[in-house]
């Protein structure tokens, strides 16, 4: 199964290869969508994790033992196609390329890339975007 | 053949022989076959645009109540509309904001709701006169209950425009969308080679009285648009470097299609209105065909810094429309993401619909009854 996780690192874990351990010891395929760290190694990783549900659960147990927070991001935005005029202005707000215009100038939304920042909601002039049910659980 | 006349084209529309292509298709045709061959073949080129334009609105007549009222203060769904016309006439401005909801519901939304067949609440007061004794009225009205309802947009179809950037260190919220700090993005507003006045830059066929496709019905160019700036600087293709000309448009709201009229809300700015416009351009001669064949890599826009809070804003770069459409532009060595405010998808649909209407003999070309002035320039406000 594939899940999206927001992993938040305190400044005490900078010397530990946590992502490496997740990959090596729990056989997880990790696709880093967005990374943001300061000079104190404090920051966050937004990742897509692919692996068996058992391995994902064990991996989460591991990171939490290391004092790292991991939140599932379950769902993201919904584009109401009846309201959307496909202008593409939302793509200006989307940092993760989840919203884009294709060759035909149709609006494409790739849920797997969405980081749930919700910036597009306020940018859409047609008010066609809403945040479905965004729920965070540890 | 050296020239083609409106009469000849309309005769071909009548007999079903007319050849119509879109302003996107004509570019490739001329590239492949050359001006001479394409001129012999194509009679009409369709142009189109669908983007937000604040200078939009509608005139309405409510009919008289019994006893009658001279409406002086008027709201529709809590949006103030003009009380400055005759007793039961009004003008709704698209950008007027709801008293209760602010810019999330404005004049544009009222017009859209009427068009969608929804009931809209009218509330009006007047001082009461001998001829109009009633002092207050509340009614729920639908579009079909009104006598006249016509869209009148004082300014549409900007010939060219600016692309917008923000060089400051804080985000800016504008009618060009959100502009991220430190040159975070570039937003632009044009349909490029499909855009009406880029295809007829010297207004030979688009003038007062030109018949247009207006949100699904047939409307007209009523006048020069406001801020009509024909005496502007132009490039080698005759395209204005900045705004250029604009069009005032009129059409019957009751006949329009809500698919091609949409309210728009710009965060931190206000309500605006997108109305679909299609304009046919008759291929009168080869000179005009050359203008129609100008491609997106030959159409340029200035990238203007919207962080400067002055009337005149500095130009940061000049980029082609094909670069803008590619999704990113490079400015001073930085790759910057681009996004449009106008829908090219909708504009393409409109160009196709107009093409079909002409082919089906439902839409005839109207020669302008007055050609626009070429020496009009826009002034700032007197100090």
């Amino acid at each position: 199964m594939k899940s999206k996780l927001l992993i938040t690192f305190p400044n005490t874990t900078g010397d530990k290869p946590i992502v490496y351990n997740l990959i090596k010891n729990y056989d997880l395929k990790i696709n880093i969508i967005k990374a943001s760290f300061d000079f104190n190694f404090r920051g966050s990783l937004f990742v897509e994790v692919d692996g068996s549900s058992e391995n994902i659960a064990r991996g989460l147990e591991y990171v939490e033992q290391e004092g790292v927070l991991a939140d599932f991001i379950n769902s993201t935005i919904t584009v109401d196609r009846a309201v959307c005029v496909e202008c593409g202005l939302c793509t200006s707000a989307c940092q993760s390329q989840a919203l884009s215009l294709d060759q035909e100038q149709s609006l494409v939304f790739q849920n797997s890339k969405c980081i749930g920042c919700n910036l597009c909601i306020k940018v859409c002039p047609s008010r066609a975007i809403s945040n479905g049910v965004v729920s965070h659980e540890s | 053949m050296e020239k083609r006349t409106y009469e000849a084209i309309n005769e071909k529309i009548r007999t079903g022989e007319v050849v119509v292509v879109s302003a996107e298709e004509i570019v490739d045709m001329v590239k492949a076959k050359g001006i001479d061959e394409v001129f012999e073949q194509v009679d009409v080129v369709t142009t189109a645009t669908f983007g937000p334009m604040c200078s939009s609105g509608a005139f309405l007549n409510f009919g008289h109540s019994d006893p009658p009222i001279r409406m002086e203060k008027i709201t529709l769904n809590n949006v103030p509309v003009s009380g400055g016309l005759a007793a039961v006439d009004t003008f709704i401005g698209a950008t007027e904001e709801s008293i209760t909801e602010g810019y999330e519901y404005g004049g544009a939304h009222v017009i859209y709701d009427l068009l969608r067949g929804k009931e809209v609440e009218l509330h009006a007061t007047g001082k009461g006169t001998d001829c109009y004794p009633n002092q207050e009225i509340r009614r729920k009205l639908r579009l079909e209950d009104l006598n006249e309802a016509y869209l009148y947009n004082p300014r549409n179809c900007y010939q060219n425009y600016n692309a917008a950037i923000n060089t400051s260190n804080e985000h800016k919220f504008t009618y060009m969308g959100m502009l991220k700090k430190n040159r975070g993005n570039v937003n632009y507003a044009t349909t490029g080679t499909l855009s009406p006045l880029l295809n007829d830059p010297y207004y030979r066929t688009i003038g007062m009285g030109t018949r247009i496709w207006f949100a699904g019905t047939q409307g007209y160019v009523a006048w020069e648009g406001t801020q009509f700036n024909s005496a502007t600087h132009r490039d080698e293709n005759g395209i204005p470097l900045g705004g250029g000309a604009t069009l005032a448009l009129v059409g019957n709201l009751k006949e329009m299609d809500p698919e091609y009229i949409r309210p728009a809300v710009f965060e931190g700015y206000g309500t605006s209105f997108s109305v679909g416009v299609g304009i046919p351009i008759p291929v009168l001669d080869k000179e005009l065909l050359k203008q129609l064949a100008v491609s997106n890599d030959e159409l340029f826009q200035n990238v203007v810094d919207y962080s400067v809070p002055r009337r005149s804003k500095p130009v940061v770069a000049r980029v082609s429309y094909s670069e803008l459409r590619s999704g990113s532009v490079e400015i001073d060595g930085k790759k910057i993401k681009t996004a449009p405010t106008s829908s090219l998808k909708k504009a393409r649909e409109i160009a196709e619909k107009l093409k079909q209407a002409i082919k089906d003999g439902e839409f005839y070309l109207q020669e302008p009854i007055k050609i626009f002035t070429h020496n009009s320039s826009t002034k700032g406000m007197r100090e």
Side-chain angles (χ1 to χ4, degrees):
Chain A
M1 67 180 258
K2 276 187 184 175
S3 302
K4 276 186 284 186
L5 286 176
L6 181 67
I7 308 175
T8 310
F9 297 83
N11 62 358
T12 53
T13 54
D15 56 340
K16 291 178 184 150
I18 287 172
V19 174
Y20 168 84
N21 285 338
L22 281 176
I23 296 167
K24 186 145 194 310
N25 300 340
Y26 303 95
D27 192 24
L28 298 176
K29 288 178 191 154
I30 293 185
N31 180 21
I32 299 174
I33 298 167
K34 194 182 176 208
S36 167
F37 285 88
D38 64 18
F39 292 115
N40 297 316
F41 295 104
R42 187 167 41 206
S44 60
L45 276 184
F46 185 71
V47 298
E48 188 177 62
V49 178
D50 191 4
S52 73
S53 52
E54 193 192 336
N55 282 352
I56 291 175
R58 287 174 54 224
L60 282 180
E61 211 171 297
Y62 157 71
V63 294
E64 278 169 17
Q65 278 166 14
E66 296 287 358
V68 171
L69 291 173
D71 288 334
F72 276 111
I73 296 193
N74 281 341
S75 66
T76 53
I77 56 152
T78 310
V79 181
D80 185 339
R81 293 288 171 173
V83 178
C84 174
V85 299
E86 301 187 270
C87 66
L89 193 60
C90 57
T91 65
S92 71
C94 184
Q95 308 160 64
S96 62
Q97 324 288 326
L99 288 159
S100 60
L101 288 175
D102 69 9
Q103 284 293 317
E104 298 300 311
Q105 303 300 317
S106 298
L107 183 72
V108 178
F109 173 60
Q110 291 169 276
N111 189 49
S112 63
K113 288 187 178 173
C114 177
I115 60 172
C117 73
N118 291 340
L119 265 178
C120 53
I121 294 174
K122 289 282 186 186
V123 165
C124 171
S126 301
R127 296 296 190 242
I129 307 177
S130 55
N131 58 341
V133 192
V134 177
S135 65
H136 296 268
E137 47 186 59
S138 298
Chain B
M1 183 169 61
E2 288 302 315
K3 288 197 183 306
R4 196 180 257 110
T5 63
Y6 281 88
E7 293 72 26
I9 293 169
N10 282 336
E11 179 57 22
K12 279 177 127 184
I13 295 174
R14 199 184 59 78
T15 58
E17 294 165 88
V18 69
V19 178
V20 194
V21 303
S22 81
E24 284 188 313
E25 292 162 333
I26 197 82
V27 175
D28 294 335
M29 280 180 83
V30 169
K31 268 190 189 136
K33 299 179 183 172
I35 290 280
D36 291 343
E37 192 180 333
V38 174
F39 180 68
E40 296 298 322
Q41 291 170 352
V42 178
D43 300 303
V44 182
V45 170
T46 58
T47 67
T49 186
F50 185 90
M53 185 65 230
C54 292
S55 198
S56 308
F59 285 100
L60 309 177
N61 176 284
F62 298 115
H64 284 286
S65 58
D66 186 25
I69 179 171
R70 179 177 185 268
M71 299 181 188
E72 290 160 3
K73 297 264 185 259
I74 315 171
T75 60
L76 289 169
N77 280 355
N78 267 340
V79 176
V81 298
S82 175
L85 296 171
V88 293
D89 279 345
T90 193
F91 180 77
I92 314 181
T95 66
E96 192 75 51
E97 294 172 12
S98 158
I99 295 163
T100 45
E101 292 176 58
Y103 61 63
E104 290 292 337
Y105 190 92
H109 296 85
V110 175
I111 297 169
Y112 183 57
D113 280 346
L114 281 168
L115 188 55
R116 287 195 292 172
K118 287 195 169 186
E119 279 187 339
V120 165
E121 190 179 54
L122 164 74
H123 180 226
T125 56
K127 62 176 130 16
T129 68
D130 288 344
C131 42
Y132 294 108
N134 202 346
Q135 290 180 314
E136 183 169 12
I137 198 159
R138 257 181 219 282
R139 289 282 162 85
K140 293 217 193 282
L141 301 174
R142 294 161 300 172
L143 187 57
E144 65 188 76
D145 301 322
L146 307 181
N147 286 316
E148 291 79 19
Y150 57 95
L151 215 62
Y152 184 89
N153 294 354
R155 178 160 80 252
N156 254 166
C157 300
Y158 247 118
Q159 188 163 15
N160 201 355
Y161 209 69
N162 306 320
I165 196 169
N166 168 15
T167 64
S168 78
N169 56 13
E170 51 190 24
H171 294 338
K172 298 286 178 194
F173 295 85
T174 75
Y175 60 84
M176 294 295 288
M178 184 181 72
L179 301 172
K180 291 187 196 165
K181 61 186 178 182
N182 303 323
R183 300 185 296 164
N185 61 318
V186 167
N187 290 347
Y188 62 96
T190 173
T191 51
T193 189
L194 258 188
S195 186
L197 287 169
L198 291 178
N199 283 288
D200 184 13
Y202 294 106
Y203 332 120
R204 293 182 53 202
T205 70
I206 302 175
M208 290 169 208
T210 297
R211 186 177 294 122
I212 62 168
W213 188 100
F214 199 24
T217 185
Q218 294 185 14
Y220 293 89
V221 176
W223 206 256
E224 290 173 351
T226 51
Q227 296 178 21
F228 187 90
N229 194 23
S230 54
T232 182
H233 294 292
R234 293 167 187 263
D235 66 17
E236 63 274 19
N237 286 315
I239 306 296
L241 305 185
T246 64
L247 305 176
L249 304 177
V250 64
N252 188 352
L253 184 66
K254 291 190 177 191
E255 296 170 357
M256 289 183 182
D257 178 352
E259 203 48 50
Y260 296 98
I261 282 196
R262 288 303 172 83
V265 178
F266 288 96
E267 195 64 21
Y269 171 78
T271 315
S272 190
F273 207 18
S274 296
V275 181
V277 181
I279 304 186
I281 298 184
V283 187
L284 297 178
D285 52 38
K286 289 174 189 170
E287 198 52 43
L288 197 49
L289 181 56
K290 279 181 201 155
Q291 296 285 3
L292 292 164
V294 170
S295 61
N296 280 333
D297 49 5
E298 299 168 294
L299 295 169
F300 292 88
Q301 283 201 323
N302 288 332
V303 181
V304 168
D305 186 359
Y306 274 63
S307 69
V308 176
R310 299 298 299 269
R311 184 172 67 210
S312 180
K313 302 184 192 311
V315 174
V316 174
R318 191 158 171 75
V319 294
S320 76
Y321 184 65
S322 28
E323 288 173 275
L324 289 167
R325 265 287 154 195
S326 75
S328 68
V329 290
E330 198 174 299
I331 296 175
D332 296 334
K334 186 186 179 190
K335 192 178 169 191
I336 303 172
K337 195 169 173 178
T338 59
T341 61
S342 41
S343 171
L344 184 55
K345 183 100 180 282
K346 285 262 185 215
R348 282 178 175 161
E349 286 173 24
I350 292 165
E352 280 306 309
K353 282 186 178 275
L354 175 56
K355 194 202 282 185
Q356 207 52 50
I358 296 169
K359 283 184 180 170
D360 293 345
E362 293 162 2
F363 192 109
Y364 286 84
L365 269 55
Q366 172 62 52
E367 188 171 355
I369 51 175
K370 187 172 184 297
I371 298 291
F372 289 147
T373 53
H374 282 75
N375 58 355
S376 176
S377 55
T378 300
K379 294 190 280 283
M381 189 185 283
R382 184 180 172 185
E383 293 298 331

